């Protein structure tokens, strides 16, 4: 895909520069030159080292750990681009953190997903490009256009190429993800099962209660949008093992893998956890032999090209 270098500019924050470089390789253009660093007082400095006046600027920055630093750096990059007279600023956020706080489900708690949306708009973003939001209604938190991509075709293609769809059942790890899990099952031409779970308090403990659907004697593919501490994922895997599945595979878009996440996956009965590079994978995580990483660089690159050229992004999935 070749685009007009004079108009399109792609820059990267510090959260996942490897992904940004791969996106630019797809677009066949150089990654934009920007200076990013912190002063000794922990204040973030941003300076674009090339002319972006009236350019179509895309800033790639997933909300990776440390999450709050990643968000603040993106806000400062957006503000700097606006003050440098960029023609249009698109915040490319492969992973949108705080997605779980999309509603008031307890007294006196924030809706942080909405707060972050407001911050992006106030900073000067003209539109947002993201991948597999935790909750679809987050799009409605923005007063600017939001393009939400999905990594589902990439994940489904991996398992099709592995030839694992025979005797497979896709398992939604909770009821909330069941619609997207059903779409994955349809892509693979296999049935769907759902694990009913109960989360205990705010300490990330999960209690799996019941499996809805037939899984005995089948190959199970668990499906979710992200894996964090892997409590839900490993609890689901244990429940499936007890229910008589032959093998367990898992796929998620966003590999947060915080705290004991990697160790839990390694100790679980999961044969392969397939994730994407919306978030950077550390060397420690790569050492785990049952984690496979697929790239979303072509997905993001194609979407950026289409946004720049005024073409339909939705047509990518038709």
């Amino acid at each position: 895909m070749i685009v007009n270098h004079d108009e399109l500019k792609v820059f990267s924050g510090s959260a996942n520069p490897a992904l940004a470089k791969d996106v630019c390789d797809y677009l066949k253009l150089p990654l934009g030159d920007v200076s990013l660093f912190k002063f000794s007082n922990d204040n973030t400095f941003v300076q674009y080292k090339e002319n972006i006046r009236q350019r179509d600027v895309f800033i790639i920055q997933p909300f990776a750990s440390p999450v709050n630093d990643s968000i603040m750096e993106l806000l400062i990059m957006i503000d700097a681009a606006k003050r440098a007279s960029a023609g249009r600023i698109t915040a490319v956020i492969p992973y949108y953190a705080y997605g779980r706080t999309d509603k008031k489900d307890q007294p006196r708690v924030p809706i942080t997903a909405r707060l972050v949306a407001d911050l992006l708009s106030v900073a000067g973003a003209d539109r947002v490009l993201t991948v597999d939001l935790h909750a679809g209604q987050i799009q409605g938190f923005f007063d600017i256009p939001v393009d939400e991509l999905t990594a589902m075709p990439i994940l489904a293609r991996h398992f099709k190429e592995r030839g694992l769809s025979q005797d497979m059942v896709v398992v939604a790890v909770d009821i909330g993800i069941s619609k997207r899990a059903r779409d994955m099952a349809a892509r693979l031409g296999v049935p769907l099962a759902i694990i009913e779970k109960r989360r205990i308090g705010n300490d990330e403990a999960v209690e799996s209660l019941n499996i809805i659907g037939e899984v005995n004697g089948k190959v199970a593919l668990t499906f979710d949008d992200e894996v964090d501490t892997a409590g839900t994922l490993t609890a689901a895997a244990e429940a499936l093992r007890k229910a008589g599945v032959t093998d367990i595979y898992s796929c998620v878009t966003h590999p947060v893998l915080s705290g004991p996440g990697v160790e839990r996956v390694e100790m679980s009965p999961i044969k392969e956890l397939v994730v994407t590079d919306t978030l950077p994978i550390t060397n420690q995580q790569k050492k785990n032999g049952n984690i496979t990483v697929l790239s979303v660089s072509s997905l993001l690159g194609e979407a950026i090209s289409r946004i720049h050229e005024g073409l339909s992004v939705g047509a990518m999935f038709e």
Side-chain angles (χ1 to χ4, degrees):
M1 179 67 63
I2 300 176
V3 295
N4 186 342
H5 293 195
D6 293 334
E7 297 295 331
L8 173 61
K9 295 286 186 180
V10 178
F11 296 90
S12 175
S14 59
N16 196 353
L19 174 60
K21 176 64 168 58
D22 289 343
V23 169
C24 286
D25 287 346
Y26 176 85
L27 293 167
K28 294 183 171 57
L29 57 82
L31 185 61
D33 189 7
V34 60
S35 176
L36 299 167
F37 65 86
K38 278 192 173 185
F39 293 107
S40 58
N41 62 1
D42 204 39
N43 288 194
T44 297
F45 176 83
V46 171
Q47 183 180 27
Y48 291 94
K49 308 299 286 186
E50 56 187 277
N51 179 29
I52 58 173
R53 183 177 294 272
Q54 295 305 309
R55 300 298 197 268
D56 196 7
V57 172
F58 292 78
I59 305 171
I60 301 177
Q61 176 84 329
F63 293 158
S65 181
V67 171
N68 294 338
D69 281 0
S70 294
I71 293 172
M72 192 64 194
E73 184 178 81
L74 176 59
L75 296 174
I76 295 172
M77 292 183 74
I78 292 169
D79 183 75
K82 180 177 69 174
R83 296 178 189 280
S85 302
R88 182 175 62 175
I89 304 168
T90 301
V92 182
I93 309 171
Y95 172 66
Y96 189 87
Y98 289 112
R100 294 177 180 176
T101 52
D102 62 320
K103 56 185 175 297
K104 283 194 66 174
D105 54 359
Q106 301 175 57
R108 299 174 297 281
V109 297
I111 304 179
T112 318
R114 172 61 192 263
L115 172 63
V116 174
D118 289 342
L119 290 172
L120 290 165
S121 297
V122 171
D126 295 299
R127 66 186 307 124
V128 167
L129 175 62
T130 188
V131 181
D132 285 333
L133 290 168
H134 184 69
Q137 64 263 28
I138 292 173
Q139 294 185 51
F141 293 169
F142 288 87
D143 295 324
I144 56 177
V146 177
D147 289 302
E148 182 188 6
L149 309 177
T150 178
M152 191 181 299
I154 297 171
L155 296 169
R157 188 183 314 121
H158 172 81
F159 289 100
K160 281 185 177 179
E161 291 173 351
R162 289 283 304 273
L164 295 171
S165 58
Q166 186 175 2
D167 294 325
M168 176 178 277
V169 57
V170 171
V171 182
V173 297
D174 62 49
I175 293 174
I177 199 70
S178 59
K179 183 180 183 300
R180 277 188 272 184
R182 185 172 67 243
D183 293 340
M184 172 64 86
R187 284 180 178 273
L188 295 173
V190 301
L192 172 70
I194 301 171
I195 293 182
E196 181 188 12
K197 74 171 186 181
R198 179 176 299 155
R199 187 173 294 279
I200 305 170
N202 294 319
D203 61 357
E204 298 178 330
V206 171
E207 178 187 7
S208 292
L209 298 178
N210 186 37
I211 298 175
I212 305 169
E214 180 57 48
V215 298
N216 184 40
K218 293 183 177 293
V219 174
L221 172 62
T222 70
F223 180 86
D224 206 352
D225 62 307
E226 68 179 67
V227 54
D228 189 359
T229 61
T232 295
L233 179 62
T234 53
E238 286 297 332
L240 290 167
R241 183 182 60 81
K242 293 176 182 177
V245 301
T246 57
D247 288 311
I248 303 171
Y249 294 84
S250 298
C251 66
V252 300
T253 301
H254 309 296
V256 181
L257 292 172
S258 63
V262 173
E263 182 180 354
R264 282 177 173 173
V265 171
E266 189 173 20
M267 299 299 293
S268 75
I270 297 170
K271 292 191 68 173
E272 182 183 30
L273 169 62
V274 181
V275 301
T276 77
D277 58 353
T278 56
L279 288 168
I281 302 295
T282 66
N283 290 331
Q284 181 62 36
Q285 292 164 348
K286 288 177 182 177
K287 289 179 182 178
N288 189 335
N290 62 346
I291 296 179
T292 299
V293 183
L294 307 178
S295 182
V296 294
S297 57
S298 61
L299 182 72
L300 290 171
E302 181 63 25
I304 288 171
S305 175
R306 286 171 176 265
I307 291 169
H308 176 61
E309 298 291 344
L311 302 175
S312 170
V313 173
M316 292 170 56
F317 304 100
E318 293 177 355

